Amino acid sequence: MPDARDELTMQIAQVVPCTEAEGPGKRFALWFQGCPLRCPGCCNPEFLPFKGGETKTLLEMVEWIARAKAESGIEGITLLGGEPFAHAVPAAALAKAARELGLTVMAFSGFLLEDLRARPEPEVRELIDHTDILVDGPYLRDEPDTERRWIGSRNQRIHFLTPRYSQDEQWRKKNTLEIRVSGREIVVNGFPAADAVGLWKGWRRKKPLPVANAKPTTNEAEAK
Ligand code: SF4
């Protein structure tokens, strides 16, 4: 009998079912549609409005993640934005389901952890409780981080909320940018070298969501 929780819906802007550009190891990366913040220079301006993207049920997403685990050996999921904590009810449910699949959870938030911890909504607490790594703080265009892999700007902090990860050598490797071409559509994710920012300006993100089997054509473009 289906669980009522499975019918929970969420607004998704983009999915990359297996990426090495959004956190440690291979990960299922999911961008929510909608962010209340407006960091100047935000890399994902099309993900800011709360209208748009695609509506997916929790069950659909969990099945997709389970498929990615079986087919690609992902070790975790990464929640990005948009702002995951502006979608805390479905994001917490998704994080819990990922943990039940034996996967780790990483989240990027424009909010600070202490502000999130002070929020009264139980779903915000639940999302924090099901997150292994939280990268927090707004993106500051004028303070690009060139030392820490996967991190956008120097002000952003990495919180290892569980013992599953630590700041090992993976975090000191050069940044990673992935470009996928599927038919006439291109999906770019990860963080580029400073001198590569803007290379894809004018490219349109694909719609609908990327298919699960889109293959990376450029797997790793390393920052200098
Ligand atoms: S929090 Fe992230 S998605 Fe929201 S405006 Fe800032 S950089 Fe963009």
Side-chain angles (χ1 to χ4, degrees):
M1 194 167 161
D3 185 335
R5 195 186 67 149
D6 293 342
E7 298 307 314
L8 184 65
T9 60
M10 56 194 85
Q11 236 23 55
I12 303 296
Q14 178 172 282
V15 168
V16 176
C18 180
T19 174
E20 295 180 47
E22 308 292 352
K26 293 180 183 174
R27 312 191 72 82
F28 184 101
L30 175 165
W31 287 257
F32 288 98
Q33 180 72 43
C35 175
L37 304 175
R38 291 294 180 269
C39 307
C42 170
C43 295
N44 297 319
E46 62 273 54
F47 297 170
L48 300 183
F50 281 85
K51 279 193 173 172
E54 272 191 47
T55 305
K56 295 281 185 186
T57 66
L58 178 64
L59 182 60
E60 286 176 305
M61 295 309 298
V62 172
E63 286 177 348
W64 198 353
I65 291 168
R67 220 163 42 240
K69 182 183 177 195
E71 292 173 359
S72 309
I74 56 166
E75 68 178 58
I77 68 168
T78 299
L79 308 177
L80 309 102
E83 168 56 52
F85 283 87
H87 304 261
V89 170
L94 200 56
K96 183 168 184 283
R99 283 273 187 84
E100 288 167 0
L101 288 171
L103 300 170
T104 61
V105 178
M106 180 173 180
F108 285 81
S109 175
F111 296 112
L112 297 176
L113 177 59
E114 52 269 36
D115 294 335
L116 292 170
R117 286 202 196 280
R119 294 250 299 260
E121 305 97 304
E123 60 271 19
V124 170
R125 157 59 55 191
E126 201 185 339
L127 179 52
I128 294 170
D129 287 348
H130 288 110
T131 297
D132 297 288
I133 307 170
L134 176 72
V135 179
D136 75 349
Y139 171 64
L140 300 183
R141 176 177 46 194
D142 296 332
E143 295 183 25
D145 195 319
T146 55
E147 302 292 322
R148 298 174 302 169
R149 194 178 179 191
W150 306 306
I151 309 298
S153 55
R154 289 194 299 272
N155 62 299
Q156 292 173 319
R157 302 175 300 177
I158 306 163
H159 301 277
F160 295 103
L161 300 176
T162 69
R164 297 190 70 168
Y165 290 102
S166 59
Q167 192 128 23
D168 59 15
E169 70 286 347
Q170 288 191 82
W171 294 83
R172 288 184 282 277
K173 282 187 183 167
K174 291 173 180 176
N175 239 332
T176 305
L177 178 73
E178 293 177 354
I179 301 171
R180 287 174 173 76
V181 179
S182 175
R184 297 174 59 194
E185 295 173 310
I186 297 170
V187 175
V188 179
N189 72 291
F191 219 83
D195 54 5
V197 171
L199 277 180
W200 61 90
K201 266 187 186 156
W203 294 4
R204 295 185 70 84
R205 284 183 195 271
K206 64 180 298 176
K207 247 181 171 200
L209 294 176
V211 291
N213 59 359
K215 297 277 190 301
T217 52
T218 302
N219 194 31
E220 194 165 289
E222 291 194 328
K224 290 178 183 146

